[in-house]
């Protein structure tokens, strides 16, 4: 939208009218607006981000009294403020002074792309600020491209993808923190004066500890279903940095991008640097509203096959660990098939000829079948799968190598290590990371997948693992003057490789696993169908981890498996019902040795899997409404998924602690059609008598303003009683 504004100078110059040509850019989604002033020759200014504005309000924004803030603060002139970009020019000058050179909005087949080109007042350096919308999605992606038009090399010292000013107030930050086996933990705190920095320096995996996604609640303590919320997700597989600067002014300043630590980037004459997208969303329906926006955009635009249903699988890891053999795999396939599962995944331990993979200290890199364990090879496993009527999937960890491997013997130059130093070893005392910056390594990794899928096109699923960080700063491939490119070059190489894989194998399902939940990020998901949430499969801990993870990622991408009791990570003994009820709120699978299950347990799982097939479309493609957070310590957690047409919903309720005569809150439902009647059916029921409302119907209005009373325990025979309780209720509109 191009507009001419007449600016009247006030005060003593009131009699002098002055005309300025301003370009107001309105980046609009169905429910949100981002408004920018990009007047040629002037600083680009941020005017607004929030609820969708009418054209009249966009035009009047200049008169709202709100400050027009720098759209993308650059370092150098007035350098006391935090900047989104910083550069050293070829002549050593460390400043940027950027003004608008051009602005345009292009129609794309499925959305719009608005680009504001900034040019330095003195140096021939351009920074293009991009804002991309997708039809029907309330998400705006923003990223930059810096183009070096100077005669010599420039050095980027900071290169954020996006910057957003947020009006100072009672603004709370919700973010995810964690560790191995404890990923996706929610932390909430008000933004106070000073800087809050969330960053990652792992080099390979970037969501074990903190996440590069956040929510900002603008109206005080975060609420699930009300209040204004801005959500932000940096879509990048590598090291990131999010900064929140609350200074003395009227704004909190939010910056997000690649972590610049030890990563300054050199651009030769004519070269450009493109940053990964920062996805922004806004909702007035609380955290859950922002999650729904992310989930819908994720499923439609960002996650491989995000709109397709996922198969119910059995993964061999916790069932047999490295103890792979033909008979055992065949038995597991028979078992998952008999319970109604659709896919079997053989995890670690199947490969290595010279060095068989019997534990985690050998063989990574040698992706040939160990014929002593699997005499009929992968062909034999595929035959078994066919015989049992399930699909077959396989585990690989192609970015890694053990020092005890044929690959390392042949190519020690492929690993990441500092010059003149011995490489640091990770998992198993022998694991190293291959240098994905090196095109030969990219080919090697591509070939691991290509060989498997060319030889065995029936392979339906790949579990792609990555179990080490970058442990030494050093690329044997990059030149001495480009060593600071290592972290980013690794992920450029990773992206190129998975791009090639996807071009050739668009249909195979690929899971991003990285020592558990180390690769839950929208920078990974365009090539991957799902991620492993955590190596911790304990159902109680999963309630907390999946809660946090669901802030940003939909159930279709969250692999959630029923595992054994006592749990292998926490040693907690949680009943099968609770374990199944939790796994059924994500992408259901199993991670267990079925031969150790009783017939009664298998029968229960058979029923659970059959029920999951019925609710799968709603769980995997529906809208999430989180109702009662486990982090509120009310003794219960509850959430639901509602089909987009509100015809059907699934309600989950989990007790998170157990005290006698404990008063638990009654949970109000959300997202239903108030005027329709919903019939209630309990799934995975274990009680001797049905719930009083089994088969009964209630209006959406009643369920949302009152909710149903959920008994605090199960009515089961004495010897089956325990301190756990959970429920899944299916609601079907009449
Ligand atoms: C780490 C993964 O998170 C596990 O699920 C399993 O695949 C192991 N690696 C295998 O080594």
């Amino acid at each position: 939208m191009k507009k001419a504004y007449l600016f009247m100078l006030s005060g003593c110059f009131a009699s002098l009218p002055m005309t300025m040509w301003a370009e107001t850019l309105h980046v609009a989604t169905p429910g949100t607006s981002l408004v920018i002033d990009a007047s040629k020759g002037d600083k680009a200014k941020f005017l607004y981000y929030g609820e969708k504005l009418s054209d009249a309000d966009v035009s009047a924004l200049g008169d709202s009294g709100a400050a027009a803030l720098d759209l993308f603060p650059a370092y150098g002139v007035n350098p006391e403020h935090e900047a989104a970009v910083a550069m050293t020019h070829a002549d050593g000058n460390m400043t940027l002074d950027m003004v608008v050179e051009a602005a345009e909005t292009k129609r794309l087949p499925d959305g719009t792309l608005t680009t504001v080109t900034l040019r330095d007042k003195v140096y021939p350096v351009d920074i293009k600020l991009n804002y991309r919308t997708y039809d029907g999605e309330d998400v705006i992606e923003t990223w930059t491209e810096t183009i070096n038009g100077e005669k010599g090399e420039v050095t980027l010292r900071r290169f954020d993808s996006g910057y957003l000013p947020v009006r100072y107030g009672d603004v709370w930050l919700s973010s995810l923190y964690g560790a191995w086996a404890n990923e996706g933990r929610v932390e909430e705190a008000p933004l106070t004066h000073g800087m809050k920095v969330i960053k990652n320096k792992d080099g390979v995996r970037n969501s074990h500890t903190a996440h590069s996604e956040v929510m900002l609640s603008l109206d005080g303590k975060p609420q699930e279903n009300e209040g204004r919320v801005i959500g932000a997700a940096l879509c990048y597989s590598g090291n990131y940095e999010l900064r929140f600067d609350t200074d003395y002014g009227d704004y909190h300043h939010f910056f997000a991008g690649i972590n610049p630590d030890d990563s300054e980037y050199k651009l030769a004459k004519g070269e450009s640097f493109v940053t990964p997208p920062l996805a922004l969303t806004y909702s007035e329906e609380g955290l859950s509203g922002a999650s729904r926006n992310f989930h819908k955009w994720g499923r439609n635009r960002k996650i491989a096959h995000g709109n397709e249903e996922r198969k119910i699988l059995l993964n061999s890891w916790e069932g047999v660990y490295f103890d792979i053999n033909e008979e055992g795999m065949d038995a597991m396939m028979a078992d998952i098939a008999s319970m109604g599962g659709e896919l079997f995944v053989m995890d670690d331990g199947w490969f290595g000829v010279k060095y068989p993979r019997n534990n985690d200290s050998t063989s990574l890199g040698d992706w040939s079948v160990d014929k002593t364990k699997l005499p009929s090879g992968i062909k034999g496993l595929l035959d078994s799968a066919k015989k049992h009527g399930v699909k077959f999937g396989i585990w690989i960890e192609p970015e890694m190598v053990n020092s005890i491997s044929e690959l390392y013997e042949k190519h020690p130059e492929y690993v990441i290590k500092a010059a003149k130093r011995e490489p640091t070893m990770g998992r198993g005392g022998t694991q190293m990371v291959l240098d994905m910056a090196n095109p030969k390594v990219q080919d090697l990794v591509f070939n691991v997948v290509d060989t498997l899928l060319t030889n065995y096109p029936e392979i339906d699923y790949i579990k792609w693992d990555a179990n080490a960080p970058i442990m030494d700063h050093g690329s044997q491939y990059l030149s001495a003057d480009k060593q600071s490119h290592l972290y980013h070059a690794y992920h450029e190489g990773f992206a190129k490789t998975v791009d090639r894989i996807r071009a050739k194998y668009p249909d195979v399902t690929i899971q991003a696993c990285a020592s558990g939940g180390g690769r839950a990020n929208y920078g990974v998901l365009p090539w991957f169908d799902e991620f492993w949430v955590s190596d911790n499969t304990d159902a109680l801990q999963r309630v907390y981890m999946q809660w946090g993870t669901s802030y940003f990622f939909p159930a279709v991408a969250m692999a959630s498996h029923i595992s054994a009791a006592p749990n292998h990570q926490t040693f907690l003994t949680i009943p099968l019902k609770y374990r199944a009820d939790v796994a059924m709120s994500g992408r259901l699978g199993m991670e267990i040795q079925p031969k150790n299950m009783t017939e009664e347990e298998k029968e229960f799982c058979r029923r659970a899997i059959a029920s999951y097939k019925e609710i799968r479309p709603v769980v995997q493609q529906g809208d999430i409404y989180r109702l009662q957070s486990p982090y509120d310590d009310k003794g219960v957690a509850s959430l639901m998924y509602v089909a987009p047409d509100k015809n059907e919903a699934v309600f989950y309720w989990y007790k998170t602690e157990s005290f006698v005569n404990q008063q638990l809150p009654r949970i109000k439902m959300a997202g239903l059609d108030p005027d329709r009647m919903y019939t209630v059916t309990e799934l995975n029921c274990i009680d001797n008598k049905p719930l009083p409302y089994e088969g009964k119907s209630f209006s959406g209005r009643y369920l949302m303003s009152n909710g149903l009373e959920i008994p605090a325990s199960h009515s089961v025979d004495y010897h089956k009683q325990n301190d756990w309780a959970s429920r899944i209720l299916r609601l079907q509109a009449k």
Side-chain angles (χ1 to χ4, degrees):
M1 187 198 330
K2 215 166 199 160
K3 283 233 164 95
Y5 289 115
L6 185 65
F7 282 78
M8 301 293 293
L9 293 181
S10 59
C12 59
F13 299 112
S15 59
L16 296 174
M18 191 177 147
T19 307
M20 286 171 69
W21 286 92
E23 177 130 11
T24 303
L25 301 169
H26 182 186
V27 182
T29 71
T32 72
S33 290
L34 170 69
V35 187
I36 291 166
D37 176 0
S39 309
K40 186 162 174 160
D42 207 350
K43 291 253 175 232
K45 293 182 197 80
F46 167 89
L47 299 180
Y48 174 88
Y49 180 55
E51 186 74 357
K52 178 81 168 267
L53 296 183
S54 65
D55 286 350
D57 278 336
V58 170
S59 303
L61 265 183
D63 300 323
S64 71
L69 293 125
D70 201 343
L71 182 63
F72 201 70
Y75 180 83
V77 176
N78 291 323
E80 76 273 25
H81 296 295
E82 195 62 22
V85 59
M87 177 190 291
T88 304
H89 298 279
D91 65 3
N93 185 322
M94 289 180 68
T95 66
L96 282 167
D97 193 3
M98 310 299 294
V99 291
V100 175
E101 172 63 18
E104 63 162 351
T105 296
K106 273 197 306 208
R107 178 75 215 161
L108 304 175
D110 60 348
T112 61
L113 177 64
T114 298
T115 305
V116 179
T117 304
L118 307 178
R119 180 160 296 169
D120 189 90
K121 281 185 179 166
V122 176
Y123 291 90
V125 166
D126 283 0
I127 301 178
K128 288 180 186 291
L129 309 178
N130 297 297
Y131 302 88
R132 201 241 200 258
T133 66
Y134 297 89
D135 296 339
E137 314 295 350
D138 277 324
V139 169
I140 297 171
E141 290 178 17
T142 178
W143 71 95
T144 72
E145 180 180 6
T146 301
I147 305 147
N148 176 17
E150 297 188 20
K151 292 210 175 76
E153 184 179 83
V154 302
T155 304
L156 287 170
R157 307 192 310 276
R158 180 171 283 296
F159 24 79
D160 283 331
S161 293
Y163 160 71
L164 190 71
V166 177
R167 182 66 174 79
Y168 180 83
D170 193 8
V171 176
W172 283 58
L173 171 67
S174 302
S175 59
L176 304 183
Y177 74 98
W180 175 79
N182 193 24
E183 295 90 335
R185 304 285 304 202
V186 175
E187 191 156 68
E188 293 174 338
L191 281 182
T192 54
H193 289 96
M195 289 276 286
K196 164 89 181 170
V197 180
I198 298 176
K199 62 183 179 182
N200 169 271
K201 297 178 93 167
D202 182 283
V204 176
R205 312 154 303 174
N206 72 4
S207 52
H208 258 317
T209 49
H211 266 240
S212 73
E213 303 89 26
V214 291
M215 300 274 192
L216 293 170
S217 296
L218 309 186
D219 301 309
K221 195 166 170 14
Q223 305 292 322
E224 276 299 346
N225 291 303
E226 58 199 44
R228 297 172 305 148
V229 172
I230 291 173
L234 184 74
C235 311
Y236 184 53
S237 57
N239 292 351
Y240 58 80
E241 186 181 80
L242 312 181
R243 304 181 320 281
F244 305 85
D245 184 18
T246 304
D247 60 16
Y248 47 81
D250 282 342
Y251 285 81
H252 306 276
H253 303 272
F254 169 48
F255 301 83
I258 296 173
N259 188 337
D261 289 356
D262 308 305
S263 294
E264 54 180 36
Y265 205 90
K266 294 173 183 163
L267 279 186
K269 176 179 160 40
E271 273 182 356
S272 65
F273 183 81
V274 180
T275 62
L278 171 69
L280 296 170
T281 193
Y282 174 86
S283 170
E284 303 209 335
E285 295 177 17
L287 298 169
S288 281
S291 298
R292 288 192 289 279
N293 292 348
F294 275 133
H295 292 188
K296 189 159 148 296
W297 158 84
R299 286 191 302 258
N300 292 341
R301 316 285 174 173
K302 283 281 161 176
I303 302 171
H305 314 116
N307 299 122
E308 290 169 27
E309 284 176 19
R310 303 299 192 250
K311 298 187 182 79
I312 299 161
L313 62 84
L314 169 66
N315 183 285
S316 68
W317 180 241
E318 286 194 23
V320 299
Y321 293 102
F322 293 101
D323 191 11
I324 300 279
N325 61 65
E326 217 159 79
E327 214 179 296
M329 296 297 98
D330 182 73
M332 286 181 113
M333 289 189 237
D335 279 326
I336 187 61
S338 78
M339 286 186 271
E342 299 150 329
L343 168 70
F344 172 73
V345 181
M346 177 174 67
D347 208 286
D348 201 348
W350 59 268
F351 54 94
V353 176
K354 181 169 172 192
Y355 303 106
R357 174 85 166 168
N358 295 323
N359 56 50
D360 59 10
S361 68
T362 69
S363 328
L364 293 177
D366 301 348
W367 300 104
S368 305
V369 173
D370 178 349
K371 290 272 179 137
T372 55
K373 293 178 183 172
L374 300 167
S376 321
I378 291 175
K379 169 85 175 59
L381 297 167
L382 287 165
D383 289 345
S384 281
K386 198 165 177 193
K387 176 178 78 191
H388 298 300
V390 290
K391 298 282 182 193
F392 177 77
I394 194 163
W395 178 95
I396 50 173
E397 193 179 359
E399 297 154 83
M400 304 285 160
V401 67
N402 288 114
S403 57
I404 308 170
S405 68
E406 294 184 68
L407 177 65
Y408 189 62
E409 284 170 355
K410 270 189 237 130
H411 292 293
E413 76 282 10
Y414 283 178
V415 304
I416 288 181
K417 74 175 247 338
K420 302 182 189 146
R421 300 185 195 281
E422 286 304 310
T424 303
M425 308 273 179
R427 187 181 186 204
T430 55
Q431 184 161 335
M432 290 165 285
V433 182
L434 294 171
D435 187 356
M436 291 297 287
N438 183 341
K440 288 194 178 139
V441 173
Q442 294 164 22
D443 285 346
L444 184 109
V445 172
F446 172 80
N447 285 332
V448 173
V449 177
D450 192 36
T451 308
L452 277 173
L453 295 183
T454 311
N455 291 340
Y456 308 105
E458 302 92 334
I459 291 178
D460 187 72
Y461 178 106
I462 287 178
K463 175 172 173 178
W464 178 308
D465 208 343
N467 290 302
I470 289 182
M471 292 165 285
D472 300 298
H473 193 134
S475 165
Q476 301 189 74
Y477 169 75
L478 294 169
S479 57
D481 64 328
K482 296 276 166 62
Q483 288 293 310
S484 63
H485 290 200
L486 170 66
Y487 288 116
H488 186 58
Y490 184 94
H491 288 277
E492 281 184 318
F494 172 72
K496 270 190 207 156
T497 310
V498 285
D499 236 4
R500 263 172 89 189
I501 291 171
R502 273 305 182 195
K504 190 157 176 194
Y505 303 103
D507 297 331
V508 66
T509 304
I510 314 182
Q511 180 187 82
C513 174
S515 319
R519 272 190 172 159
N521 186 286
Y522 280 113
V524 173
L525 288 169
W527 301 285
F528 291 77
D529 300 71
E530 60 176 33
F531 54 86
W532 185 219
V533 175
S534 175
D535 271 351
N536 188 339
T537 54
D538 177 288
L540 178 64
Q541 309 228 340
R542 280 291 185 123
V543 168
Y544 291 80
M545 291 191 280
Q546 293 178 188
W547 189 271
T549 308
S550 81
Y551 274 31
F552 307 99
F553 302 100
V556 74
M558 285 172 38
S560 186
H561 296 179
I562 300 170
S563 64
N567 179 267
H568 291 192
Q569 295 78 37
T570 62
F571 311 104
L572 268 179
T573 298
I574 298 181
L576 183 58
K577 160 142 178 83
Y578 194 102
R579 285 178 271 147
D581 284 3
V582 172
M584 283 169 68
S585 70
R587 193 282 280 134
L588 174 66
M590 300 186 78
E591 182 99 11
I592 197 165
Q593 173 51 280
K595 83 170 180 220
N596 297 338
M597 294 166 72
T598 63
E599 259 324 301
E600 191 184 351
E601 286 174 329
K602 284 188 182 162
E603 180 49 34
F604 178 86
C605 287
R606 213 166 279 136
R607 264 205 296 140
I609 287 173
S611 297
Y612 187 77
K613 286 179 183 167
E614 303 255 309
I615 59 172
R616 177 160 49 186
V618 183
V619 177
Q620 296 189 358
Q621 301 296 326
D623 293 326
I624 194 168
Y625 290 82
R626 285 180 304 265
L627 306 171
Q628 176 60 61
S629 170
Y631 294 90
D632 286 347
D633 292 333
K634 300 272 193 240
V636 67
S638 180
L639 73 152
M640 61 195 290
Y641 297 106
V642 182
D645 61 9
K646 301 196 184 288
N647 260 334
E648 187 164 348
V650 190
F651 170 88
Y652 298 84
W653 183 98
Y654 309 110
K655 227 164 100 172
T656 52
E657 58 188 23
S658 190
F659 294 97
V660 175
N661 285 334
Q662 185 180 11
Q663 292 170 314
L664 297 175
R666 191 178 196 184
I667 308 295
K668 290 182 197 165
M669 297 190 187
L672 301 170
D673 182 337
D675 297 323
R676 296 179 78 178
M677 297 297 287
Y678 290 90
T679 307
V680 182
T681 314
E682 184 183 6
L683 305 182
N684 294 352
C685 178
I686 54 165
D687 296 54
N688 290 337
K689 57 175 196 297
L691 291 166
Y693 35 80
E694 176 71 23
K696 303 276 164 31
S697 302
F698 302 85
S699 70
R701 180 169 287 105
Y702 176 82
L703 294 170
M704 291 193 290
S705 58
N706 296 281
L708 296 170
E709 207 61 75
I710 311 279
S713 56
H714 290 283
S715 111
V716 290
D717 294 347
Y718 185 76
H719 72 279
K720 289 190 175 163
Q721 282 177 358
N722 59 62
D723 48 351
W724 299 88
S726 60
R727 304 276 170 179
I728 304 181
L729 304 180
R730 184 179 188 194
L731 307 171
Q732 288 165 290
K734 292 223 263 194

